[in-house]
Amino acid sequence: EIVLTQSPGTLSLSPGERATLSCRASQSVSSSQLAWYQQKPGQAPRLLIYGASSRATGIPDRFSGSGSGTDFTLTISRLEPEDFAVYYCQKYGNSRPMYTFGQGTKLEIK
Amino acid sequence: EVQLVESGGGLVQPGRSLRLSCAGYGFTFDAYAMHWVRQAPGKGLEWVSSISWNSGYIDYADSVKGRFTISRDNAKNSLYLQMNSLRAEDTAFYYCAKDFSGSSWYYFDYWGQGTLVTVSS
């Protein structure tokens, strides 16, 4: 079973700064099977990135994803106030278990 | 506009049953796989179960296998989760989510707002 480990657990930054969030897999993950979600308090998760690097519909281009194998990264180039939230990576695909989430990274205002 | 609306949550005693529903709007419901994901209060996301567009393929997380049953009624644009033998650790917000695809397993492109299930005596 693939385990996704996100780091850091909490990231404290200021608006305008660059955020780099990590997702490390215990086994190699196809880059076509890695997604990122954003969740704000009291809201459902929202898809940001799929296929490791493709932005979902309506997602601003300050959000970008990269990586392959066991190491994946979500980068927010210049933080806006609305970007402070919890971010989850997800492995998806046909191998069981089909879906695995990382434990999340909380991005908080410094 | 795609909308997913969950219902059926509430307070239930350990060992009892509950059935969640999810109504889909704004998309061709019977063309897509659907999923349930849960989140214990203050915790992370946990995949629960998935069903293909025609109910031909179903899968469960080990934590709920044998106790939960996923189903769908495409004529009613609805997804269900029958939860039996509920435990305190099943307490969570339950989200339904739409798959990007119908017959394979991809990412979740739309989510409902969730319904809270509390298992307590």
Side-chain angles (χ1 to χ4, degrees), chain B residues 10-114:
Chain B
L11 175 64
V12 61
Q13 293 179 328
R16 303 298 291 264
S17 298
L18 204 61
R19 188 196 197 204
L20 304 183
S21 299
C22 170
Y25 305 93
F27 66 103
T28 305
F29 187 82
D30 61 7
Y32 296 94
M34 297 293 294
H35 311 275
W36 289 100
V37 176
R38 69 183 180 183
Q39 184 173 38
K43 303 297 184 182
L45 301 172
E46 180 189 13
W47 168 71
V48 173
S49 184
S50 300
I51 186 168
S52 63
W53 68 277
N54 63 351
S55 305
Y57 191 86
I58 286 172
D59 202 6
Y60 300 96
D62 289 343
S63 58
V64 307
K65 194 173 293 185
R67 300 187 298 123
F68 289 11
T69 302
I70 191 172
S71 62
R72 65 191 295 163
D73 184 339
N74 287 340
K76 295 182 178 180
N77 289 353
S78 291
L79 174 72
Y80 305 102
L81 186 67
Q82 177 68 42
M83 303 185 295
N84 299 333
S85 303
L86 282 162
R87 307 166 179 168
E89 54 265 36
D90 296 319
T91 294
F93 287 93
Y94 284 74
Y95 297 99
C96 72
K98 171 187 169 293
D99 198 288
F100 169 76
S101 172
S103 57
S104 191
W105 307 111
Y106 284 91
Y107 46 90
F108 306 157
D109 56 359
Y110 291 94
W111 298 62
Q113 282 304 302

Side-chain angles (χ1 to χ4, degrees), chain A residues 18 25 38 43 46 48 51-52 63 68-69 71 74-76 78-79 83 91 96 105 107:
Chain A
R18 180 185 186 91
Q38 176 194 66
Q43 296 185 17
R46 177 176 72 146
L48 295 176
F63 291 90
S68 63
D71 289 296
L74 175 69
T75 302
I76 311 171
R78 285 181 57 86
L79 286 166
D83 299 336
K91 170 266 177 189
R96 292 201 80 254
T105 289
L107 178 56

Side-chain angles (χ1 to χ4, degrees), chain A residues 20-94:
Chain A
T20 303
L21 287 66
S22 173
C23 175
R24 179 161 291 177
S26 59
Q27 303 171 41
S28 183
V29 173
S30 168
S31 56
S32 64
Q33 298 179 336
L34 196 287
W36 290 91
Y37 299 85
Q38 176 194 66
Q39 187 179 33
K40 298 179 181 179
Q43 296 185 17
R46 177 176 72 146
L47 175 68
L48 295 176
I49 300 287
Y50 63 91
S53 60
S54 297
R55 272 187 303 277
T57 303
I59 301 303
D61 60 7
R62 64 180 182 273
F63 291 90
S64 63
S66 63
S68 63
T70 59
D71 289 296
F72 297 88
T73 300
L74 175 69
T75 302
I76 311 171
S77 58
R78 285 181 57 86
L79 286 166
E80 297 286 344
E82 62 267 28
D83 299 336
F84 292 92
V86 179
Y87 292 83
Y88 295 93
C89 59
Q90 177 203 41
K91 170 266 177 189
Y92 54 91
N94 293 329

